Structure formats: C-alpha cells, structure tokens
Amino acid sequence: MPDLLADHTTLRLGGPAKAWVRAETEAELIEAVSSADAAGEPVLVLGGGSNLVVADEGFPGTVVEVATRGIEADLDDDVEASCSGATVKVAAGEPWDPFVARAAERRWSGIEALAGIPGHVGATPIQNVGAYGQEVSQTIANVRVWDRKLRGVRTFAAADCGFGYRTSRFKQDPGRHVVLDVTFQLPLGTYGPPVQYAELARALNLEVGQRALIESVREAVLALRTRKGMVLDPTDHDTWSAGSFFTNPVVPADQVPDGAPAWPQPDGPGGSVKTSAAWLIEHAGFAKGYGSGPVTLSTKHTLALTNRGSATTADLLALAREIRDGVRAKFGITLVNEPVLVGVEL
C-alpha cells in the first residue's frame, strides 16, 4: 500500500503519495529533491507534519521525508567552562521539542518558551515559529538551504531571512528552499531572557519583564500548552490538530473591535496592531468544542481545529471556512490560515 500522508501529519489527514523517499543524510535529501526536480515531478518536503493540511486525494508527486539528524555545539560538555553563548548547528530533521529540552538542560537560553511545539527544526525558520513572547528569529544565526532554483547550497544570515510575524523569505518563496540545517546563537546562563508574555509571567508568578530559570520557563510553557491541548497526545483528540489554525491578524488600530487585545507592531505599517484570532473567533460565536461533525474546535482552545477520529480534509476545510467567514461577517477581518495547504484551498 502507498504511504498515506495521514500517517505522517499531526492532523492525521491526507491521502497517498505517488512516491516516497526517506532521506537520512544531507546528501540523500539533496539527491531526492534534485532527482524529482530533474524529472519534472512535484515535490513535497515533509518534516514532522505538524503544519500541513493535505488533500484527501493525496499528493501526485514525490514526498521527501526529512530524517536527517545531528546537533553540533561549539562548547564542550562542561557548561561551566564558558560564560559566552553557544553556537549550535542542528540538522533539519531533528525533532524540535527534544532540542528545546536539551537546550534547557545545557543552560542554552532563548528557546525555552517554545517548548512543546511539534515538528522538526528545519520548519522553524520557515514559519518563524513563535510562542509566549519568543520567536526563533531571535536566536537564529543562519539557515543553510538547498536552493532548488539555483541548484546549490546557500547560507542565509538571520538578517537576510526576511523574518516577520509567522513568515520569512522561505515562506514567501514557497518550495524554493529546502532547509538543511539551522544554526542558533544561544546565550549561556541559568536564567532566560526577560519574560514578555503576560500569561506566562502569571504562570511563573512574575511581572512582565522579569527573568526566570530556563527550566522553570520550559515547564510552565509545557503546562500551559497541555491545558490548551497543544502538546501531542495520541489518546487526546484535542491534540489531533495543526496547532493554531489561524494567525493573529495584523490590522490598522482603528479596525480592532472594542475589547479585543491589541499589540502595537513596531515593524509593521504605521499604526498597525496585532489582535487575537482566538478572541475574534470566540466573539463571533464559535466557542470551544464548536462543531457537530468529525471536525470541531478543540474543547480546550478555540484556535485549534481538531480531528475527532473519522474526519476528512474536506470536513476540516468546511469548518475552517465557516469560522473564517463568520469572523469576517462579524468584524470585517479576514483570518489567514497558518498551516500550509497542499492540494487544497481555504
């Protein structure tokens, strides 16, 4: 039987692939993508499958599964030996959350608030993954890629990655760059950077701007994410999702509804603010657990659309459209999906 994408995505949705290659080395990864490109075959580069919505019909090309491994740090095992930061190069196929755990154990700070996020390291710069006041762009030194257009390996310094809210040059030019590895510059110390997210600060009994032990931040984030159904658990259908399905919209300040959260965006257009997609969804009438079919909103978190066990991708998209259209009708704001859509449109 052909490999089903449903067996490799956290939503557990998606049909078969025409062909499947598992790449365990960088050379195998480049060869698999290059061979498919030379044959004119569509390519889907698959990491942890945590940010994908794949058509029920599957993918009419080659899925290249990124299974590369390796973490290289410029420090020896004695973390007391240096007061400087650690430069850490991580293969694209390394699972993200175990890397965060390792960083906390080694006292490498700056990514501890990103604990519990599923997927692989190679996907993090594409989305500029962020949560609880941290984004990977704050600690990435460079991203090394295979450029499918120029057919060569390139290295982009962080300043050249075009990082923004849940975006990057890699997301803006979809499919061109296959991430090979990511190098992080992580400060070394017992305490992490100042906590900037109010919910996390409350969980740590801190004021915003205070610092906490790296491991304490990681544990608090894992607890928060677990309560929201955002830590994978095969027995809990609230975690059969792609995480937050919609990004928080960035809009002119005068378009934010009364009572909605608003965070000024210094890097955005003048006067723009980011508001809460979860608030908009809830106040448009979509409560936790909304839906009567095989796809519902999570019972723990209104931003997650969840597979209750017998769903199809078509079911998922129907609910996503209902929510998007309901928010637009109520507030005039169009929510944008965060997961990558493969063979389907919202």
Side-chain angles (χ1 to χ4, degrees):
M1 282 197 53
D3 280 277
L4 293 176
L5 271 300
D7 295 330
H8 298 269
T9 63
T10 55
L11 269 166
R12 303 177 188 231
L13 298 175
K18 179 181 174 184
W20 196 286
V21 178
R22 177 179 167 88
E24 297 185 353
T25 68
E26 180 179 301
E28 290 175 353
L29 177 55
I30 293 173
E31 171 61 24
V33 174
S34 298
S35 294
D37 285 344
E41 184 88 352
V43 174
L44 173 61
V45 178
L46 177 70
S50 61
N51 200 49
L52 281 180
V53 176
V54 182
D56 293 315
E57 295 76 18
F59 184 69
T62 299
V63 170
V64 179
E65 181 184 354
V66 182
T68 54
R69 296 289 189 271
I71 300 175
E72 301 174 13
D74 65 349
L75 295 176
D76 59 28
D77 289 336
D78 181 4
V79 296
E80 304 294 341
S82 174
C83 61
S84 63
T87 302
V88 188
K89 183 170 77 171
V90 189
E94 280 286 344
W96 173 256
D97 190 47
F99 171 55
V100 175
R102 176 171 178 171
E105 179 184 339
R106 296 292 303 274
R107 301 179 190 173
W108 301 337
S109 74
I111 58 173
E112 57 278 355
L114 305 178
I117 295 175
H120 290 175
V121 168
T124 62
I126 297 173
Q127 291 286 118
N128 186 18
V129 166
Y132 296 104
Q134 288 183 356
E135 293 181 332
V136 291
S137 59
Q138 296 166 340
T139 51
I140 286 177
N142 62 66
V143 179
R144 198 164 144 270
V145 305
W146 171 257
D147 187 323
R148 293 169 64 190
K149 183 175 181 180
L150 298 181
R151 298 186 56 78
V153 175
R154 302 177 68 188
T155 300
F156 293 99
D160 298 321
C161 290
F163 288 127
Y165 173 62
R166 299 298 176 272
T167 194
S168 67
R169 73 179 299 158
F170 314 115
K171 185 175 181 178
Q172 295 301 316
D173 195 358
R176 174 172 175 174
H177 303 100
V178 178
V179 176
L180 303 175
D181 56 57
V182 184
T183 298
F184 297 86
Q185 190 68 46
L186 302 171
L188 180 62
T190 304
Y191 286 80
V195 176
Q196 302 295 341
Y197 201 82
E199 183 184 17
L200 178 57
R202 288 194 297 271
L204 291 162
N205 294 315
L206 299 175
E207 298 292 330
V208 171
Q210 291 184 312
R211 301 171 70 199
L213 294 170
I214 293 172
E215 189 58 46
S216 295
V217 173
R218 176 176 169 271
E219 291 173 355
V221 167
L222 286 173
L224 288 169
R225 290 184 66 86
T226 298
R227 286 200 293 272
K228 296 176 180 179
M230 292 293 189
V231 175
L232 295 181
D233 178 351
T235 67
D236 181 1
H237 284 283
D238 276 334
T239 75
W240 290 29
S241 76
S244 297
F245 195 88
F246 296 105
T247 59
N248 290 324
V250 176
V251 298
D254 60 5
Q255 289 186 15
V256 177
D258 290 342
W263 301 282
Q265 298 297 289
D267 298 330
S272 64
V273 299
K274 181 170 66 178
T275 190
S276 167
W279 188 98
L280 295 171
I281 291 169
E282 291 167 12
H283 287 78
F286 304 102
K288 295 173 185 175
Y290 178 86
S292 58
V295 175
T296 73
L297 289 179
S298 166
T299 66
K300 304 180 180 74
H301 188 35
T302 51
L303 268 182
L305 277 68
T306 64
N307 176 359
R308 309 317 292 186
S310 60
T312 65
T313 300
D315 295 327
L316 178 89
L317 294 173
L319 181 59
R321 292 182 187 115
E322 181 183 356
I323 292 169
R324 179 200 60 189
D325 295 348
V327 168
R328 182 163 54 201
K330 177 77 172 179
F331 299 113
I333 295 173
T334 300
L335 297 179
V336 176
N337 54 285
E338 183 168 339
V340 176
L341 307 182
V342 178
V344 293
E345 295 181 354
L346 188 59

